[in-house]
Amino acid sequence: MVVEVEDVLDAALKLQSLIVSGSLEVSMEGLQIIVTRDDVVVDIQDPERLLNVASPLMEIGKDSMKGSGRINVLEMLRTLESTSNKLAGEKKTVFLEYRGQDVVVMGYKAKPGIVGPKNIEIRGKLQMVRLVLAFLKAWL
């Protein structure tokens, strides 16, 4: 079973439509997700634990990145851009955090810079670097 970003997004948007007030909190190994009517906050606490839990759901192996890393990164960026555009169209926002600190905002409430995708805002450049390094360390 392969989990696609679009499938997760569609499920989250359907779940959000059920929320009238308040929020739904989901915690798992290395991750906390808070869903409200318009926002989703994804706080990655421990990338290594998260990869251990999520890896059976993903069709990504260590060998798949070798030799095609550039293509995979471009594909991932296209997916992020289309996802953020869909979120903005639905007036929804996803906040990605690393250990409680803002990293990226995608969707309706994003305020992008002059250069870059339209509905993606990078709020914490240092935290983003730390998160990427933590994932790379856990992956390798």
Side-chain angles (χ1 to χ4, degrees), residues 5 9 40 79-85 87-88 92-96 104-110 119-121:
V5 172
L9 177 62
V40 176
T79 301
L80 283 175
E81 186 173 17
S82 75
T83 301
S84 64
N85 290 338
L87 286 165
K92 307 292 183 183
T93 307
V94 172
F95 297 88
L96 177 65
V104 175
V105 178
M106 293 177 25
Y108 187 68
K109 294 178 184 174
N119 296 306
I120 299 176
E121 174 187 0

Side-chain angles (χ1 to χ4, degrees), residues 8-134:
V8 173
L9 177 62
D10 288 338
L13 291 174
K14 287 176 185 174
L15 179 64
Q16 280 185 311
S17 68
L18 298 175
I19 298 174
V20 176
S21 65
S23 64
L24 170 69
E25 291 188 35
V26 179
S27 294
M28 61 181 259
E29 295 287 325
L31 180 72
Q32 180 179 21
I33 301 172
I34 301 170
V35 181
T36 66
R37 179 112 179 113
D38 296 319
D39 300 330
V40 176
V41 177
V42 179
D43 189 0
I44 299 172
Q45 296 291 320
D46 188 344
E48 186 172 357
R49 286 174 128 182
L50 178 60
L51 280 178
N52 288 338
V53 171
S55 61
L57 301 176
M58 299 184 308
E59 193 180 63
I60 299 172
K62 291 180 183 178
D63 294 334
S64 69
M65 290 298 285
K66 293 180 181 171
S68 62
R70 178 175 285 159
I71 294 169
N72 287 337
V73 169
L74 290 175
E75 202 173 300
M76 189 169 43
L77 289 174
R78 281 190 206 107
T79 301
L80 283 175
E81 186 173 17
S82 75
T83 301
S84 64
N85 290 338
K86 184 171 183 174
L87 286 165
E90 297 280 335
K91 296 190 177 188
K92 307 292 183 183
T93 307
V94 172
F95 297 88
L96 177 65
E97 297 180 351
Y98 179 50
R99 296 186 176 163
Q101 296 183 347
D102 287 342
V103 177
V104 175
V105 178
M106 293 177 25
Y108 187 68
K109 294 178 184 174
K111 295 176 180 40
I114 296 170
V115 178
K118 187 170 133 184
N119 296 306
I120 299 176
E121 174 187 0
I122 298 174
R123 286 197 177 166
K125 291 178 178 94
L126 180 59
Q127 283 304 98
M128 178 178 259
V129 170
R130 287 180 179 153
L131 178 61
V132 169
L133 289 174

